[in-house]
Amino acid sequence: MSKSSTIPAVRGFRDVLPEECAHWQRLEAAARDLFARYGFGEIRLPILERTELFARAVGETTDIVEKEMFSFRDRDKEETAVALRPEATASVVRAYLESGLVHRDRQARLFYAGPMFRRERPQRGRYRQFYQIGAEVLGRDDALADAELLVWLVRYFDQVGARGTRIELNSLGDAACRPAYRERLRQFGLAHLDALCGDCHRRLQRNPLRLLDCKVADCRAVIERAPVMRDSLCAACTAHFDEVRLLLDQERVPYVLNLRLVRGLDYYCRTAFEIVAEGEGLGAQNAIGGGGRYDGLVAMLGGPEVAGVGFALGLDRVAMATPAAKDAAPGPAALVLPLEPRAVAPALRLATQLRDEGLVVAVEPAGRSLKALLGVANRRRARLAVILGPDELAAGRATVRDLASSADRRQALDLGAPGAELARWVRAEVGAS
RNA sequence: GUGGGUGUAGCUCAGUUGGCAGAGCACCGGGUUGUGGCCCCGGGGGUCGAGGGUUCAAAUCCCUUCACUCACCCCA
């Protein structure tokens, strides 16, 4: 007689329940609408890719690839290493090349929405399965493309009512100027080794740029004096960055320059940005979006030299930074209440007819007292209770009770009438109440 | 991966120096033969996160473990 135990969800994985889903759908609908206006088409991508794709695109030595991927071997002959995608840009570029989009029209404007997976330690706003909405512009190396994305983001946050969002902007340089800067920064770090924290020692080995955004006070004091990327940008990168900023200023896109902004994925170059949400209980995970330019990525993934720029929004976090609809979901227009088993079939008949006419209708099972059923109707916030008991069956007419006014329309609803007529009657009652 | 906090009813939480497992809300039923909300009465619900140990006796003390949570790290 042992009670079987429940099976919990996997660590870091969670359910998004209807109430929260309603909020998410609003956020997604707003994004789709705005994407359409900016000429983006949706792309639906696989959730599973070859591990190699991310290793090459995101970077072998990034945390994401080194220790955060859900990676395993498929049971095919080659035992292919596959992974749940930790991000989608690599997939978009893979699809762009594989589908031949690259040949049809070098420029592509694509958006996607869906779950990503990273095996990090869960915390508020950080889940092992999280959702991103993202956009990519392929085949465009001009500053206009970068600026358009940022304008999109500002319009989006405005549209969904995200409060306290801030765009942080930086330029990371390109293949011509970044390596030299990277080396200068590394040398600087080595020269101040004993003043830097343990994390920074590791960063120095793996990704010197990361020194720039260390949060330890002692490190920051040192980093203040470190060389700045902006002073190391080549002429082309400077010109590109200046034009992006000029366009943003023209469109009155508010942003703050953050010369210490670094992005974690290897493929970023030139424009890099992050959207940070202040307050609103996001905790430490307050980056609700991020993106930038990745001009070398297409070539890295085996394609021609094609530029690209894009962003991703963390839907879980955007949801936390935007107000959910305050008023609870409205109840059904009518709740049909069969008082006895004989009334069940007519109840379903009636409900189906009304639903076919577009009304929101619910039906309760028989077997409970009228009192109990009306209690249900009240809790569900139904507008009308449609009562089907012995009297109603005999008369062929349902009693309809208006839950707000407590007014009964006894012998009111002709069960033999066609659906459209029933619906018209119900609509009139609901509208009149 | 590292460090801190918290796990008791569906939810929010009490639970004394170790001594019968509790409250509020929610749910179900009754108070009214077929009329909801408010009120009154009653009821069902718990392996006290899990496993082990100490003890006559453990929700309480000890160890281990899991989950959640906050920060680091990382990132959306």
Side-chain angles (χ1 to χ4, degrees), chain A residues 103-122:
Chain A
H103 300 302
R104 253 188 292 168
D105 181 355
R106 185 145 291 193
Q107 189 186 151
R109 298 163 75 81
L110 302 165
F111 80 90
Y112 59 84
M116 309 295 160
F117 304 84
R118 290 180 202 172
R119 206 181 173 290
E120 298 179 277
R121 179 113 166 215

mmCIF file of all heavy atoms in Angstrom, chain A residues 103-122:
data_model
loop_
_atom_site.group_PDB
_atom_site.id
_atom_site.type_symbol
_atom_site.label_atom_id
_atom_site.label_comp_id
_atom_site.label_asym_id
_atom_site.label_seq_id
_atom_site.Cartn_x
_atom_site.Cartn_y
_atom_site.Cartn_z
ATOM 1 N N HIS A 103 22.672 31.886 -51.007
ATOM 2 C CA HIS A 103 22.830 32.024 -52.447
ATOM 3 C C HIS A 103 21.669 32.769 -53.076
ATOM 4 O O HIS A 103 21.818 33.443 -54.078
ATOM 5 C CB HIS A 103 22.950 30.642 -53.101
ATOM 6 C CG HIS A 103 24.120 29.860 -52.589
ATOM 7 N ND1 HIS A 103 25.412 30.322 -52.668
ATOM 8 C CD2 HIS A 103 24.188 28.673 -51.947
ATOM 9 C CE1 HIS A 103 26.225 29.437 -52.122
ATOM 10 N NE2 HIS A 103 25.504 28.434 -51.667
ATOM 11 N N ARG A 104 20.483 32.597 -52.481
ATOM 12 C CA ARG A 104 19.313 33.210 -53.086
ATOM 13 C C ARG A 104 19.338 34.718 -52.917
ATOM 14 O O ARG A 104 18.991 35.465 -53.801
ATOM 15 C CB ARG A 104 18.041 32.646 -52.444
ATOM 16 C CG ARG A 104 17.322 31.696 -53.381
ATOM 17 C CD ARG A 104 15.993 31.308 -52.807
ATOM 18 N NE ARG A 104 16.176 30.488 -51.615
ATOM 19 C CZ ARG A 104 15.200 30.186 -50.776
ATOM 20 N NH1 ARG A 104 13.999 30.653 -50.976
ATOM 21 N NH2 ARG A 104 15.431 29.430 -49.728
ATOM 22 N N ASP A 105 19.659 35.127 -51.739
ATOM 23 C CA ASP A 105 19.612 36.547 -51.433
ATOM 24 C C ASP A 105 20.533 36.724 -50.253
ATOM 25 O O ASP A 105 20.215 36.325 -49.147
ATOM 26 C CB ASP A 105 18.178 36.949 -51.034
ATOM 27 C CG ASP A 105 18.100 38.441 -50.733
ATOM 28 O OD1 ASP A 105 19.153 39.108 -50.744
ATOM 29 O OD2 ASP A 105 16.984 38.918 -50.480
ATOM 30 N N ARG A 106 21.649 37.277 -50.511
ATOM 31 C CA ARG A 106 22.660 37.302 -49.461
ATOM 32 C C ARG A 106 22.145 37.973 -48.190
ATOM 33 O O ARG A 106 22.522 37.620 -47.102
ATOM 34 C CB ARG A 106 23.927 37.992 -49.974
ATOM 35 C CG ARG A 106 25.046 37.936 -48.983
ATOM 36 C CD ARG A 106 26.396 37.809 -49.621
ATOM 37 N NE ARG A 106 26.603 36.529 -50.245
ATOM 38 C CZ ARG A 106 27.801 36.101 -50.641
ATOM 39 N NH1 ARG A 106 28.861 36.852 -50.497
ATOM 40 N NH2 ARG A 106 27.926 34.928 -51.205
ATOM 41 N N GLN A 107 21.255 38.904 -48.368
ATOM 42 C CA GLN A 107 20.713 39.530 -47.170
ATOM 43 C C GLN A 107 19.529 38.725 -46.624
ATOM 44 O O GLN A 107 18.637 38.345 -47.374
ATOM 45 C CB GLN A 107 20.249 40.963 -47.471
ATOM 46 C CG GLN A 107 19.887 41.712 -46.206
ATOM 47 C CD GLN A 107 19.291 43.082 -46.444
ATOM 48 O OE1 GLN A 107 18.510 43.563 -45.646
ATOM 49 N NE2 GLN A 107 19.667 43.713 -47.545
ATOM 50 N N ALA A 108 19.582 38.448 -45.346
ATOM 51 C CA ALA A 108 18.461 37.741 -44.724
ATOM 52 C C ALA A 108 18.139 38.402 -43.401
ATOM 53 O O ALA A 108 19.030 38.805 -42.657
ATOM 54 C CB ALA A 108 18.812 36.274 -44.505
ATOM 55 N N ARG A 109 16.838 38.545 -43.150
ATOM 56 C CA ARG A 109 16.406 39.124 -41.870
ATOM 57 C C ARG A 109 15.492 38.098 -41.222
ATOM 58 O O ARG A 109 14.365 37.867 -41.680
ATOM 59 C CB ARG A 109 15.664 40.439 -42.117
ATOM 60 C CG ARG A 109 16.543 41.496 -42.789
ATOM 61 C CD ARG A 109 15.723 42.611 -43.396
ATOM 62 N NE ARG A 109 15.168 43.534 -42.426
ATOM 63 C CZ ARG A 109 15.879 44.539 -41.897
ATOM 64 N NH1 ARG A 109 17.146 44.721 -42.220
ATOM 65 N NH2 ARG A 109 15.315 45.345 -41.036
ATOM 66 N N LEU A 110 15.987 37.474 -40.157
ATOM 67 C CA LEU A 110 15.288 36.343 -39.568
ATOM 68 C C LEU A 110 15.071 36.563 -38.078
ATOM 69 O O LEU A 110 15.910 37.136 -37.397
ATOM 70 C CB LEU A 110 16.123 35.069 -39.765
ATOM 71 C CG LEU A 110 16.445 34.722 -41.227
ATOM 72 C CD1 LEU A 110 17.562 33.684 -41.303
ATOM 73 C CD2 LEU A 110 15.193 34.217 -41.926
ATOM 74 N N PHE A 111 13.935 36.094 -37.577
ATOM 75 C CA PHE A 111 13.756 36.071 -36.118
ATOM 76 C C PHE A 111 13.328 34.684 -35.684
ATOM 77 O O PHE A 111 12.820 33.893 -36.469
ATOM 78 C CB PHE A 111 12.767 37.147 -35.650
ATOM 79 C CG PHE A 111 11.315 36.776 -35.813
ATOM 80 C CD1 PHE A 111 10.636 36.128 -34.791
ATOM 81 C CD2 PHE A 111 10.630 37.089 -36.968
ATOM 82 C CE1 PHE A 111 9.291 35.801 -34.927
ATOM 83 C CE2 PHE A 111 9.286 36.766 -37.113
ATOM 84 C CZ PHE A 111 8.624 36.121 -36.091
ATOM 85 N N TYR A 112 13.568 34.394 -34.421
ATOM 86 C CA TYR A 112 13.228 33.082 -33.866
ATOM 87 C C TYR A 112 12.741 33.273 -32.442
ATOM 88 O O TYR A 112 12.971 34.312 -31.817
ATOM 89 C CB TYR A 112 14.456 32.154 -33.865
ATOM 90 C CG TYR A 112 15.610 32.721 -33.067
ATOM 91 C CD1 TYR A 112 15.683 32.549 -31.688
ATOM 92 C CD2 TYR A 112 16.613 33.460 -33.693
ATOM 93 C CE1 TYR A 112 16.716 33.102 -30.946
ATOM 94 C CE2 TYR A 112 17.650 34.022 -32.966
ATOM 95 C CZ TYR A 112 17.696 33.839 -31.591
ATOM 96 O OH TYR A 112 18.713 34.398 -30.860
ATOM 97 N N ALA A 113 12.060 32.281 -31.940
ATOM 98 C CA ALA A 113 11.653 32.281 -30.532
ATOM 99 C C ALA A 113 11.630 30.844 -30.066
ATOM 100 O O ALA A 113 11.134 29.969 -30.782
ATOM 101 C CB ALA A 113 10.263 32.906 -30.377
ATOM 102 N N GLY A 114 12.172 30.608 -28.904
ATOM 103 C CA GLY A 114 12.149 29.243 -28.398
ATOM 104 C C GLY A 114 13.104 29.023 -27.253
ATOM 105 O O GLY A 114 13.811 29.942 -26.836
ATOM 106 N N PRO A 115 13.111 27.794 -26.756
ATOM 107 C CA PRO A 115 13.912 27.487 -25.575
ATOM 108 C C PRO A 115 15.384 27.262 -25.895
ATOM 109 O O PRO A 115 15.724 26.754 -26.964
ATOM 110 C CB PRO A 115 13.286 26.187 -25.057
ATOM 111 C CG PRO A 115 12.731 25.541 -26.274
ATOM 112 C CD PRO A 115 12.298 26.639 -27.184
ATOM 113 N N MET A 116 16.223 27.678 -24.991
ATOM 114 C CA MET A 116 17.662 27.422 -25.039
ATOM 115 C C MET A 116 18.030 26.680 -23.756
ATOM 116 O O MET A 116 17.277 26.720 -22.773
ATOM 117 C CB MET A 116 18.457 28.733 -25.114
ATOM 118 C CG MET A 116 17.998 29.693 -26.190
ATOM 119 S SD MET A 116 18.245 29.034 -27.838
ATOM 120 C CE MET A 116 17.097 30.043 -28.765
ATOM 121 N N PHE A 117 19.189 26.063 -23.766
ATOM 122 C CA PHE A 117 19.557 25.218 -22.629
ATOM 123 C C PHE A 117 21.002 25.466 -22.210
ATOM 124 O O PHE A 117 21.910 25.382 -23.042
ATOM 125 C CB PHE A 117 19.386 23.744 -23.013
ATOM 126 C CG PHE A 117 18.001 23.424 -23.498
ATOM 127 C CD1 PHE A 117 17.649 23.639 -24.834
ATOM 128 C CD2 PHE A 117 17.033 22.942 -22.633
ATOM 129 C CE1 PHE A 117 16.366 23.365 -25.290
ATOM 130 C CE2 PHE A 117 15.760 22.668 -23.075
ATOM 131 C CZ PHE A 117 15.418 22.879 -24.411
ATOM 132 N N ARG A 118 21.186 25.805 -20.969
ATOM 133 C CA ARG A 118 22.537 25.916 -20.442
ATOM 134 C C ARG A 118 22.555 25.319 -19.045
ATOM 135 O O ARG A 118 21.699 25.629 -18.223
ATOM 136 C CB ARG A 118 22.989 27.384 -20.379
ATOM 137 C CG ARG A 118 23.228 27.976 -21.755
ATOM 138 C CD ARG A 118 23.684 29.429 -21.688
ATOM 139 N NE ARG A 118 23.403 30.073 -22.961
ATOM 140 C CZ ARG A 118 23.532 31.378 -23.196
ATOM 141 N NH1 ARG A 118 23.943 32.180 -22.227
ATOM 142 N NH2 ARG A 118 23.255 31.883 -24.371
ATOM 143 N N ARG A 119 23.563 24.502 -18.803
ATOM 144 C CA ARG A 119 23.623 23.793 -17.528
ATOM 145 C C ARG A 119 24.362 24.635 -16.506
ATOM 146 O O ARG A 119 25.471 24.304 -16.102
ATOM 147 C CB ARG A 119 24.299 22.443 -17.726
ATOM 148 C CG ARG A 119 23.870 21.429 -16.702
ATOM 149 C CD ARG A 119 24.551 20.105 -16.877
ATOM 150 N NE ARG A 119 24.245 19.215 -15.777
ATOM 151 C CZ ARG A 119 24.712 19.391 -14.549
ATOM 152 N NH1 ARG A 119 25.489 20.397 -14.281
ATOM 153 N NH2 ARG A 119 24.380 18.530 -13.587
ATOM 154 N N GLU A 120 23.710 25.739 -16.097
ATOM 155 C CA GLU A 120 24.289 26.612 -15.094
ATOM 156 C C GLU A 120 23.593 26.345 -13.766
ATOM 157 O O GLU A 120 22.578 25.673 -13.714
ATOM 158 C CB GLU A 120 24.049 28.082 -15.468
ATOM 159 C CG GLU A 120 24.683 28.503 -16.769
ATOM 160 C CD GLU A 120 24.378 29.953 -17.082
ATOM 161 O OE1 GLU A 120 23.298 30.241 -17.625
ATOM 162 O OE2 GLU A 120 25.224 30.783 -16.754
ATOM 163 N N ARG A 121 24.124 26.915 -12.716
ATOM 164 C CA ARG A 121 23.447 26.790 -11.432
ATOM 165 C C ARG A 121 22.221 27.698 -11.459
ATOM 166 O O ARG A 121 22.347 28.896 -11.694
ATOM 167 C CB ARG A 121 24.406 27.231 -10.323
ATOM 168 C CG ARG A 121 23.801 27.161 -8.965
ATOM 169 C CD ARG A 121 24.461 26.100 -8.131
ATOM 170 N NE ARG A 121 24.089 26.280 -6.741
ATOM 171 C CZ ARG A 121 24.896 26.041 -5.728
ATOM 172 N NH1 ARG A 121 26.124 25.620 -5.967
ATOM 173 N NH2 ARG A 121 24.487 26.201 -4.501
ATOM 174 N N PRO A 122 21.053 27.151 -11.211
ATOM 175 C CA PRO A 122 19.831 27.960 -11.311
ATOM 176 C C PRO A 122 19.787 29.042 -10.236
ATOM 177 O O PRO A 122 20.330 28.873 -9.151
ATOM 178 C CB PRO A 122 18.716 26.954 -11.074
ATOM 179 C CG PRO A 122 19.329 25.622 -11.256
ATOM 180 C CD PRO A 122 20.766 25.771 -10.878
#
